[in-house]
Amino acid sequence: MPKYRVLIVEDQDIPRELFEIYVKGSAHFEHFLSISNASAAISVVRSNKVDLVLMDVMTELGHSGLDAAEEIKKAFPSVKIIIVTSMPEYSWLSRAREIGVDSFWYKDGQKNGLIDVMERTMAGEKIYPDETPLIRIGNATNHEFSERELDILKELTTGDSNAEIAERLFISVATVKSHIQHLMEKTGFKTRTELVSEARGLGIVIKDKKES
């Protein structure tokens, strides 16, 4: 039985090398190629036989794996894609589902976990975690924030004013202020700068260039 050909899109050396080891040691998969840039994945799939793409979200030169996955699924719906990431950014799970990504896996260093997801994905299953990884931020965790609070927190990373954020989200300035106050109370941070710096550093909110 021929093995499934796997394209790995990962710009960090250690995860990429681990994925290669896992794939090469598996019974049903063949490592075809590894690249660092998500945009290049589109050309690779267009020019070669690829059965499965392991795609990181944040890749070389800031190119988005989710954007590349969307293009690939539109042009080549039979190609399976698994998004792999270590970042707990709250919006990526829903975006991946919306654009037709087959499965989603958080990097945890477990070979059997990834190979199992790959095999089940090729068998036609869609494998998604129930929620993002639990991350502590100040006195709270990311799971204690509402989706709207996370929306506000992401917008705060732009450095824009409350009025600008309110206009972008179609809500009132008072509502923006209220959400920020709730975030500060939950986390215990004294300034929004501390809050934003910690949230961004932990990967809880990551604003894509397209969203700016």
Side-chain angles (χ1 to χ4, degrees):
M1 176 182 174
K3 294 184 176 184
Y4 296 117
R5 287 160 61 88
V6 180
L7 169 64
I8 296 172
V9 186
E10 169 63 67
D11 64 344
Q12 296 184 5
D13 292 340
I14 293 177
R16 182 174 63 247
E17 290 168 5
L18 281 174
F19 294 158
E20 290 172 0
I21 291 170
Y22 295 165
V23 171
K24 290 174 182 177
S26 66
H28 303 133
F29 298 96
E30 170 190 352
H31 176 239
F32 164 61
L33 181 67
S34 293
I35 57 176
S36 301
N37 189 304
S39 293
I42 301 163
S43 297
V44 171
V45 171
R46 186 176 291 121
S47 305
N48 300 274
K49 182 184 184 304
V50 174
D51 299 303
L52 173 65
V53 182
L54 296 182
M55 181 96 74
D56 197 359
V57 179
M58 301 177 68
T59 72
E60 191 177 66
L61 303 177
H63 291 167
S64 167
L66 286 169
D67 290 346
E70 183 172 18
E71 286 196 47
I72 290 170
K73 291 304 287 188
K74 284 179 179 177
F76 307 96
S78 64
V79 174
K80 304 290 187 180
I81 300 177
I82 301 175
I83 289 294
V84 291
T85 182
S86 59
M87 296 293 189
E89 215 293 328
Y90 74 103
S91 67
W92 288 350
L93 279 171
S94 58
R95 170 94 194 280
R97 286 191 175 97
E98 287 170 4
I99 63 180
V101 165
D102 299 277
S103 297
F104 198 109
W105 186 77
Y106 285 110
K107 301 173 188 176
D108 61 5
Q110 298 296 315
K111 170 186 175 181
N112 292 338
L114 178 58
I115 294 300
D116 178 63
V117 170
M118 291 167 63
E119 290 180 343
R120 292 168 64 187
T121 299
M122 296 310 300
E125 289 188 61
K126 289 187 176 292
I127 313 299
Y128 276 78
D130 295 328
E131 57 188 5
T132 59
L134 183 71
I135 304 292
R136 176 155 291 280
I137 174 169
N139 299 329
T141 71
N142 56 327
H143 289 180
E144 295 175 48
F145 302 149
S146 68
E147 186 167 340
R148 179 52 91 185
E149 286 173 342
L150 288 166
D151 289 340
I152 297 292
L153 186 55
K154 179 182 283 192
E155 293 300 329
L156 287 175
T157 65
T158 65
D160 289 343
S161 67
N162 291 349
E164 290 170 317
I165 293 171
E167 182 178 1
R168 196 152 52 239
L169 296 181
F170 305 103
I171 57 179
S172 69
V173 173
T175 299
V176 172
K177 290 180 178 178
S178 176
H179 283 307
I180 293 172
Q181 184 62 34
H182 290 156
L183 286 164
M184 303 288 281
E185 290 172 353
K186 287 178 180 180
T187 59
F189 291 118
K190 301 302 182 185
T191 69
R192 61 196 283 170
T193 300
E194 288 180 302
L195 171 66
V196 170
S197 176
E198 191 71 8
R200 186 163 43 197
L202 293 169
I204 292 172
V205 287
I206 299 172
K207 193 166 178 69
D208 188 272
K209 291 180 180 178
K210 283 188 171 183
E211 301 174 289
S212 300

